[in-house]
Amino acid sequence: MPTNFTVVPVEARADGDQDEAAELTEAPGAPEGHEPDCSSRGDGQSRESSPIINNGDMERESFFEGKNMALFEEEMDSNPMVSSLLNKLANYTNLSQGVVEHEEAEESRRREVKNPGMGTFIGVYLPCLQNILGVILFLRLTWIVGVAGVLESFLIVFMCCTCTMLTAISMSAIATNGVVPAGGSYYMISRSLGPEFGGAVGLCFYLGTTFAGAMYILGTIEIFLTYISPGASIIHAQSPEGEAVAMLHNMRVYGTCTLVLMAMVVFVGVKYVNKLALVFLACVVLSILAIYAGVIKTAFDPPDIPVCLLGNRTLSRRNFDVCAKVLTTNNGTVTTALWGLFCNNSMPSAICDEYFAQNNLTEIQGIPGVASGVFLDNLWSVYTDKGVFVEKQGTPSVPVPEESRSSKLPYVLTDIMTYFTMLVGIYFPSVTGIMAGSNRSGDLRDAQKSIPTGTILAIVTTSFIYLSCIMLFGACIEGVILRDKFGEALQGNLVIGMLAWPSPWVIVIGSFFSTCGAGLQSLTGAPRLLQAIARDGIVPFLQVFGHGKANGEPTWALLLTALICEIGILIASLDSVAPILSMFFLMCYMFVNLACAVQTLLRTPNWRPRFRYYHWTLSFLGMSLCLALMFICSWYYALFAMLIAGCIYKYIEYRGAEKEWGDGIRGLSLNAARYALLRVEHGTLHTKNWRPQVLVMLNLDSEQCVKHPRLLSFTTQLKAGKGLTIVGSVLEGTYLDKHAEAQQAEENIRSLMGIEKTKGFCQLVVSSNLRDGMSHLIQSAGLGGMKHNTVLMAWPESWKEEDNPFSWKNFVDTVRDTTAAQQALLVAKNVDLFPQNQERFSDGHIDVWWIVHDGGLLMLLPFLLRQHKVWRKCRMRIFTVAQVDDNSIQMKKDLQTFLYHLRISAEVEVVEMVENDISAFTYEKTLVMEQRSQMLKQMQLSKTEREREAQLIHDRNTASHSVVAARTRAPPTPDKVQMTWTKEKLIAEKLKNKDANMSGFKDLFSLKPEWGNLNQSNVRRMHTAVKLNGVVLNKSQDAQLVLLNMPGPPKNRQGDENYMEFLEVLTEGLNRVLLVRGSGREVITIYS
């Protein structure tokens, strides 16, 4: 946020010295009888209209009220005063160049909505917590710990959490790079990597979110049918072998019914889903607290949960209660229910299973507690095939010959084959959900602060929960119970529920509602994501899903989401669905990291994230980790997901277009270059991608050496090797005669470019005169879309010399050429004082004097310069001028907010210039200027007469300076008075100024009658130049560089020499000045 904001009124002194500042009035008017052309500037060429300012709001004022900014009055229609700009930017909704059409509509709707008010905790932290913690924690984490062991489980969780943390860092950088409208990850990726990647990854993220909804629904049904109401099964198995298949059919039936019910809830009332979100989150939090409470309780009072082992094999305790073969009673010995399961009858003489007969039954504690030492037994992995006995390691047993593993026997068997990579795919969905905060960016009070803080804190919290749970589960629970996925040895109870305190039902009910809520959230978010993609129009066959109900609810998108979700439910297995959505989420996270890495490496001017703790290496590491995890989880799922994304990418890129290929490597390279040039040329460049593509105009001496090498140094500092640089120069003569000299000049320029490390192209033109040659360069330099948009040249220091009478004329015509070509113009004054590339400023300021707004180039240039080592330690200051009618305090707030959204830190000062009468010094300056103009026109005079005339003008100028210097010894008016104009003060000041001006003119004209014959338009322009120069000198004389709006040349070509004098007076006394003239288009935006 910009700091050190000061409102500094600059009071006018009575003598009207040029060191005083003037209060800015309403947009000044043109001279009477002149009707301005709103679409023209300079010599009347048309210019791109500003998308920010309503030209009709400009109010023309009278002669006496408009003289402060008379130097800029001819272009006030297209280059508005900064105060007018800030007034229009109060709500930042008119900056249409930073967004596409559908975003403009979203912005217009958002204006009518109340200001967002959610902070970091409610808006980001809690939603991320709710989305990350879920079904895998309750249903599969204990099983993963049992199968993979504590060490490998820790590695799995650590890899996945590292992946999401690196992705969150990249996402935070992208999310804080400007205002992110609603759209979340899809918006960020598509705006960072373009519509092709955005559409492909957006659809992958949509599919991932949809399958996540299927996974949550399956988790809900599994909890219900396995742990809450096992008797609710509709389809029953005819034999024990068919129980698994019957369970899958029940999951499909109940899952489909639940999906239909949830879709109806989402269709009827999304607001109820959002209201219940906190309730579902409370269930998750209470469940986790119950787990920790249960772990603490096991330290001093372990629960009594016996587990029955036959030899070293775990027995399913669903059909028996007593873990014994026989029981001794008063009447003798009787067999137990367990005996009946292994033997052909209940008699002691019955024929029993061989393993049952030779091994003893033992009973161990399923949850021995933290202090039991079971942690060491659970350190290592136990991977098995499908249908293998769950055995306790280290327990003696009598082996028997190979037997048929009949499912009739009450053993606990593994249901799937397990291995490390498969467990990664099952676990990864439990760390997804980090985008929940960025998806709500439109509802946050300050998204640029809340998203990084809330997301990273949520990942740290959940990572701690997962990692600590792995350690605690391994330390508290017996290994055979951990590997018992469905709790069969615990009479069908949830393993993690048996650990919890005070009751297992806390976990069962809590996990049921949390998975149910997560499913509703997925069915709410996925259709909106699809609707956003459809409304972008990048995938034509999806456009129908952009429509919905009158209130904007995505009806058709919800229908498609439900159908895709049904595919996941028909798979019916949680362990099979989890790797599918892992692929899509990993694909999305990979491209988030790629987007951040690409933006960081390209160093585009618009890449200015507020989140500073990122680096391209971290993004590249996150991208690599995501890619590795995709193939670790399932290489064929990974290839299938990448194939889907690639097909979507190619469809978006090449729909309706034919691609041509060259032959061989060189042909392919040439065709790629051609294709890139054509792509660059196609369409208008987006504001975010605008950077100064510079044509540097160099002057050569008689030896064909560059006159101002520092101009190339400044180019290098401005460009930093990025974008296009064309170094151009003109030789006077014919090409046949100057061919050798042209080659020598080009070699000299290339050599200097190498010394100054200027990366670009050299283009030298031989022309009959300098004027035409410079015009040819401006028109034709570059190729296709790789054309310059900015011209950089040095100020013609010799324009006053009689030996070079046409230098000023060439300069003014070049200014007009750049205006006609709609190109920006940078003029470096005193360029030989500019720093070399080896110099380093240890302190100082880059001062921007923002007088009129002509595209925002003034804001962008200091940011680009500060990327170079020469200017890196310089601080940026922005000065703007308030008019008499303006509220300076409000200007402060508006400009402060504007700079904050631009992600530019700068000190800001508003200078209030009190309007006063035109001083005698200004009249004398104007008289000298017009006499000089007359002298320049009298080229037929002899050299002696010209020297005498020039000496006379010099003497007059010196005399007028001495008079002013004597006056300045009067006590100065304090210039640090805090003030803001009130209405009464404004009216009184205007009346006083009018009366004073009328009487002042009479007195002045009586002093020197020839002043009355001066062109009053020139007098007012000189008044502007003198007063602004005084203000700039007062504030920025010690600045390392001063950037200043460059007024346009007069529409009347007769006053060109006067225009040079105005610019000379405006910049007098300053060391390094960069006059900036925008191209008329917006080059900087607050949007991401």
Side-chain angles (χ1 to χ4, degrees):
M1 194 87 175
T3 54
N4 304 326
F5 193 103
T6 331
V7 179
V8 184
V10 183
E11 302 286 352
R13 300 175 189 164
D15 54 44
D17 186 13
Q18 75 270 28
D19 290 332
E20 305 154 359
E23 170 70 19
L24 214 70
T25 66
E26 291 274 350
E32 290 186 13
H34 173 72
E35 289 295 325
D37 181 8
C38 294
S39 62
S40 62
R41 65 181 283 190
D43 58 355
Q45 297 293 333
S46 62
R47 155 185 199 179
E48 180 178 327
S49 61
S50 171
I52 298 179
I53 299 302
N54 181 359
N55 295 336
D57 292 343
M58 295 300 173
E59 185 179 4
R60 296 295 182 184
E61 296 214 357
S62 65
F63 167 77
F64 293 106
E65 293 177 343
K67 59 182 178 290
N68 266 351
M69 289 294 112
L71 194 58
F72 299 89
E73 70 181 3
E74 285 191 349
E75 298 178 295
M76 201 60 71
D77 298 306
S78 53
N79 291 353
M81 298 305 301
V82 172
S83 57
S84 301
L85 171 76
L86 292 175
N87 184 41
K88 302 294 178 186
L89 292 179
N91 56 5
Y92 306 104
T93 54
N94 290 325
L95 285 179
S96 59
Q97 284 198 339
V99 288
V100 295
E101 290 76 11
H102 84 278
E103 293 159 10
E104 292 175 359
E106 290 291 331
E107 287 293 310
S108 64
R109 285 197 291 270
R110 195 176 292 114
R111 294 174 207 161
E112 304 170 0
V113 183
K114 63 180 182 179
N115 289 331
M118 286 198 293
T120 303
F121 187 74
I122 298 294
V124 180
Y125 180 76
L126 291 183
C128 286
L129 215 63
Q130 179 188 1
N131 280 267
I132 295 173
L133 299 172
V135 61
I136 301 296
L137 171 64
F138 300 118
L139 296 183
R140 293 292 183 269
L141 191 59
T142 53
W143 175 70
I144 290 173
V145 174
V147 173
V150 173
L151 293 180
E152 292 187 26
S153 300
F154 194 93
L155 178 62
I156 291 172
V157 175
F158 183 77
M159 276 198 312
C160 294
C161 291
T162 302
C163 176
T164 55
M165 177 61 79
L166 293 174
T167 304
I169 291 173
S170 300
M171 184 194 70
S172 299
I174 299 174
T176 58
N177 187 47
V179 179
V180 179
S185 58
Y186 164 69
Y187 181 92
M188 291 188 293
I189 295 172
S190 62
R191 271 56 179 178
S192 298
L193 293 178
E196 295 89 356
F197 277 114
V201 180
L203 285 175
C204 286
F205 189 52
Y206 163 73
L207 292 174
T209 307
T210 305
F211 275 101
M215 184 188 73
Y216 290 130
I217 292 174
L218 289 174
T220 303
I221 303 306
E222 182 176 315
I223 294 171
F224 177 73
L225 291 179
T226 308
Y227 306 113
I228 296 180
S229 179
S233 299
I234 297 175
I235 301 172
H236 300 281
Q238 299 298 324
S239 63
E241 291 86 352
E243 288 183 358
V245 177
M247 183 64 179
L248 293 179
H249 288 323
N250 284 310
M251 297 276 283
R252 293 183 179 103
V253 173
Y254 275 97
T256 303
C257 296
T258 306
L259 173 62
V260 172
L261 182 63
M262 287 185 175
M264 291 176 62
V265 171
V266 172
F267 177 78
V268 173
V270 178
K271 58 182 179 180
Y272 300 114
V273 177
N274 295 329
K275 288 179 180 179
L276 289 173
L278 286 178
V279 177
F280 297 139
L281 177 62
C283 294
V284 176
V285 174
L286 288 175
S287 301
I288 292 171
L289 292 177
I291 294 171
Y292 283 113
V295 169
I296 295 172
K297 182 176 178 295
T298 63
F300 54 86
D301 184 19
D304 183 22
I305 304 175
V307 177
C308 189
L309 297 179
L310 177 61
N312 63 355
R313 300 176 183 177
T314 311
L315 297 181
S316 174
R317 207 154 187 166
R318 292 182 182 270
N319 300 318
F320 68 93
D321 295 325
V322 180
C323 184
K325 295 181 179 180
V326 295
L327 290 177
T328 303
T329 63
N330 294 331
N331 297 327
T333 303
V334 296
T335 58
T336 62
L338 188 58
W339 180 280
L341 294 173
F342 282 93
C343 303
N344 59 358
N345 60 58
S346 60
M347 301 301 293
S349 60
I351 300 174
C352 297
D353 179 77
E354 186 177 358
Y355 188 85
F356 178 78
Q358 296 189 18
N359 287 274
N360 295 323
L361 288 168
T362 55
E363 204 168 50
I364 62 173
Q365 286 298 320
I367 303 180
V370 177
S372 64
V374 75
F375 181 79
L376 294 175
D377 298 334
N378 294 329
L379 276 178
W380 311 108
S381 61
V382 185
Y383 298 120
T384 59
D385 289 330
K386 181 179 178 180
V388 175
F389 299 112
V390 176
E391 299 176 337
K392 178 172 172 56
Q393 305 295 319
T395 301
S397 66
V398 178
V400 296
E402 188 66 28
E403 57 185 322
S404 61
R405 296 172 181 175
S406 172
S407 58
K408 294 180 180 180
L409 299 178
Y411 290 122
V412 177
L413 303 176
T414 58
D415 64 328
I416 56 174
M417 184 174 67
T418 54
Y419 44 91
F420 179 82
T421 57
M422 185 266 288
L423 296 181
V424 175
I426 292 176
Y427 173 76
F428 188 80
S430 64
V431 296
T432 60
I434 61 173
M435 301 287 188
S438 63
N439 289 342
R440 299 183 177 210
S441 57
D443 301 323
L444 299 175
R445 187 182 305 117
D446 189 350
Q448 298 193 358
K449 288 184 179 179
S450 297
I451 289 177
T453 307
T455 304
I456 291 175
L457 281 179
I459 292 175
V460 170
T461 304
T462 53
S463 300
F464 171 78
I465 291 173
Y466 282 127
L467 292 173
S468 62
C469 282
I470 285 174
M471 307 298 289
L472 296 176
F473 292 163
C476 293
I477 306 175
E478 181 61 50
V480 291
I481 300 301
L482 289 173
R483 293 191 293 278
D484 184 4
K485 184 186 289 187
F486 301 108
E488 294 180 51
L490 303 178
Q491 296 180 333
N493 289 311
L494 183 62
V495 175
I496 196 173
M498 301 303 290
L499 175 65
W501 180 87
S503 168
W505 286 102
V506 175
I507 297 292
V508 174
I509 301 301
S511 60
F512 177 80
F513 282 111
S514 69
T515 51
C516 184
L520 281 172
Q521 292 285 354
S522 297
L523 288 180
T524 304
R528 279 156 181 74
L529 179 59
L530 180 62
Q531 186 182 44
I533 299 172
R535 285 183 174 176
D536 258 351
I538 57 175
V539 184
F541 65 81
L542 291 179
Q543 289 185 359
V544 65
F545 299 106
H547 307 296
K549 294 193 292 186
N551 60 355
E553 292 298 322
T555 309
W556 292 105
L558 177 61
L559 180 61
L560 180 64
T561 301
L563 292 176
I564 297 175
C565 194
E566 177 64 17
I567 296 174
I569 289 174
L570 291 177
I571 295 174
S573 172
L574 187 70
D575 300 324
S576 300
V577 173
I580 297 176
L581 65 100
S582 294
M583 290 303 112
F584 292 122
F585 277 119
L586 281 167
M587 177 87 67
C588 178
Y589 295 168
M590 180 177 71
F591 280 100
V592 169
N593 286 294
L594 176 63
C596 182
V598 168
Q599 293 276 35
T600 307
L601 290 174
L602 288 180
R603 298 178 185 175
T604 54
N606 191 61
W607 182 245
R608 302 185 299 276
R610 288 206 166 272
F611 181 77
R612 298 295 182 186
Y613 306 103
Y614 71 95
H615 195 268
W616 70 268
T617 54
L618 293 177
S619 300
F620 186 79
L621 179 62
M623 182 183 69
S624 304
L625 188 56
C626 289
L627 186 62
L629 285 174
M630 286 178 66
F631 283 92
I632 285 174
C633 295
S634 174
W635 64 268
Y636 46 89
Y637 278 167
L639 291 177
F640 183 68
M642 294 174 73
L643 179 64
I644 292 176
C647 291
I648 297 171
Y649 177 93
K650 288 300 180 183
Y651 173 76
I652 296 173
E653 183 180 13
Y654 296 113
R655 54 182 177 141
E658 294 182 3
K659 185 174 178 64
E660 298 179 3
W661 296 93
D663 296 324
I665 299 299
R666 183 169 178 80
L668 183 63
S669 302
L670 290 173
N671 199 47
R674 166 189 167 274
Y675 178 72
L677 281 172
L678 291 175
R679 285 293 300 271
V680 170
E681 189 177 22
H682 178 69
T684 305
L685 186 68
H686 198 281
T687 303
K688 294 188 302 182
N689 293 325
W690 194 96
R691 65 163 75 239
Q693 315 286 11
V694 180
L695 169 63
V696 187
M697 307 289 278
L698 294 180
N699 293 325
L700 304 175
D701 58 19
S702 58
E703 302 296 327
Q704 313 310 328
C705 294
V706 178
K707 284 186 179 179
H708 302 293
R710 299 287 180 94
L711 202 60
L712 280 181
S713 303
F714 182 74
T715 305
T716 302
Q717 295 155 23
L718 180 64
K719 299 294 293 180
K722 303 295 180 183
L724 175 69
T725 302
I726 301 174
V727 181
S729 187
V730 179
L731 279 181
E732 200 167 4
T734 61
Y735 185 73
L736 291 177
D737 296 334
K738 297 284 186 177
H739 176 68
E741 294 180 19
Q743 285 187 332
Q744 181 62 43
E746 193 166 341
E747 289 178 7
N748 294 341
I749 292 174
R750 291 186 187 280
S751 174
L752 184 62
M753 289 173 66
I755 295 172
E756 298 295 345
K757 299 180 180 179
T758 304
K759 297 179 181 179
F761 309 98
C762 176
Q763 190 163 350
L764 192 135
V765 172
V766 180
S767 178
S768 57
N769 58 73
L770 292 177
R771 165 75 189 90
D772 291 340
M774 295 175 78
S775 179
H776 295 158
L777 273 178
I778 291 173
Q779 294 177 59
S780 60
L783 174 64
M786 294 293 288
K787 291 183 67 69
H788 62 280
N789 54 30
T790 305
V791 177
L792 172 63
M793 59 190 304
W795 173 261
E797 303 289 349
S798 62
W799 75 273
K800 294 182 181 180
E801 298 175 7
E802 291 78 20
D803 295 334
N804 192 11
F806 295 104
S807 63
W808 58 271
K809 188 66 176 173
N810 291 338
F811 177 83
V812 178
D813 285 340
T814 302
V815 174
R816 286 197 172 96
D817 286 344
T818 58
T819 301
Q822 294 186 346
Q823 296 171 3
L825 177 64
L826 310 179
V827 179
K829 196 167 185 290
N830 302 324
V831 68
D832 293 328
L833 299 178
F834 277 51
Q836 292 181 320
N837 293 329
Q838 295 77 21
E839 296 180 38
R840 300 288 184 271
F841 288 129
S842 59
D843 200 2
H845 295 93
I846 299 177
D847 285 357
V848 176
W849 283 86
W850 196 20
I851 310 301
V852 294
H853 179 74
D854 59 351
L857 186 58
L858 273 172
M859 299 292 182
L860 191 60
L861 290 175
F863 170 78
L864 296 176
L865 283 174
R866 291 182 70 244
Q867 306 302 305
H868 197 273
K869 294 178 181 179
V870 174
W871 305 92
R872 186 164 294 165
K873 295 185 178 179
C874 292
R875 296 182 301 277
M876 181 177 169
R877 295 190 301 191
I878 296 181
F879 297 86
T880 189
V881 183
Q883 305 180 50
V884 175
D885 293 352
D886 293 325
N887 184 338
S888 302
I889 302 301
Q890 188 60 41
M891 281 185 68
K892 170 194 75 173
K893 294 179 181 177
D894 290 342
L895 184 54
Q896 197 173 26
T897 308
F898 185 46
L899 291 175
Y900 175 77
H901 283 293
L902 286 175
R903 291 95 65 205
I904 292 177
S905 298
E907 301 175 20
V908 183
E909 287 193 21
V910 173
V911 178
E912 294 183 346
M913 295 172 63
V914 179
E915 187 169 329
N916 64 328
D917 56 351
I918 298 176
S919 63
F921 174 78
T922 300
Y923 275 97
E924 187 64 21
K925 268 281 193 182
T926 309
L927 179 63
V928 172
M929 177 189 71
E930 294 197 355
Q931 290 175 343
R932 184 194 306 278
S933 175
Q934 189 65 26
M935 179 194 72
L936 291 173
K937 292 176 181 177
Q938 294 175 346
M939 299 307 297
Q940 67 272 22
L941 295 178
S942 66
K943 182 177 180 182
T944 304
E945 290 174 319
R946 291 202 302 271
E947 289 176 353
R948 187 184 306 117
E949 184 72 11
Q951 184 62 40
L952 177 61
I953 293 173
H954 175 73
D955 293 343
R956 288 176 180 170
N957 196 12
T958 305
S960 64
H961 268 291
S962 61
V963 172
V964 172
R967 289 175 178 169
T968 56
R969 286 191 278 269
T973 306
D975 62 350
K976 283 287 182 180
V977 181
Q978 297 292 330
M979 51 87 78
T980 297
W981 294 100
T982 63
K983 186 175 181 181
E984 294 77 17
K985 185 174 179 182
L986 170 64
I987 296 173
E989 185 72 16
K990 282 189 174 182
L991 292 175
K992 183 180 74 174
N993 282 342
K994 284 189 177 183
D995 296 337
N997 287 342
M998 292 300 295
S999 59
F1001 272 90
K1002 294 178 181 178
D1003 295 340
L1004 286 172
F1005 294 158
S1006 64
L1007 288 175
K1008 213 162 188 180
E1010 60 265 38
W1011 288 350
N1013 299 325
L1014 294 174
N1015 185 321
Q1016 294 304 312
S1017 177
N1018 286 340
V1019 172
R1020 293 186 298 113
R1021 284 172 166 77
M1022 183 63 73
H1023 179 71
T1024 300
V1026 168
K1027 295 200 75 176
L1028 275 179
N1029 176 256
V1031 174
V1032 176
L1033 277 177
N1034 185 35
K1035 298 293 178 185
S1036 304
Q1037 193 163 16
D1038 296 327
Q1040 302 291 6
L1041 179 64
V1042 176
L1043 285 83
L1044 187 64
N1045 281 118
M1046 180 179 180
K1051 295 179 181 179
N1052 181 7
R1053 295 175 181 266
Q1054 300 302 318
D1056 288 354
E1057 59 277 4
N1058 297 338
Y1059 173 70
M1060 299 296 293
E1061 189 70 38
F1062 294 140
L1063 295 181
E1064 193 74 55
V1065 172
L1066 185 63
T1067 57
E1068 191 175 8
L1070 297 171
N1071 292 330
R1072 302 183 191 93
V1073 183
L1074 188 66
L1075 293 171
V1076 180
R1077 183 164 171 75
S1079 62
R1081 65 161 291 167
E1082 294 297 319
V1083 301
I1084 194 167
T1085 175
I1086 68 171
Y1087 289 95
S1088 172

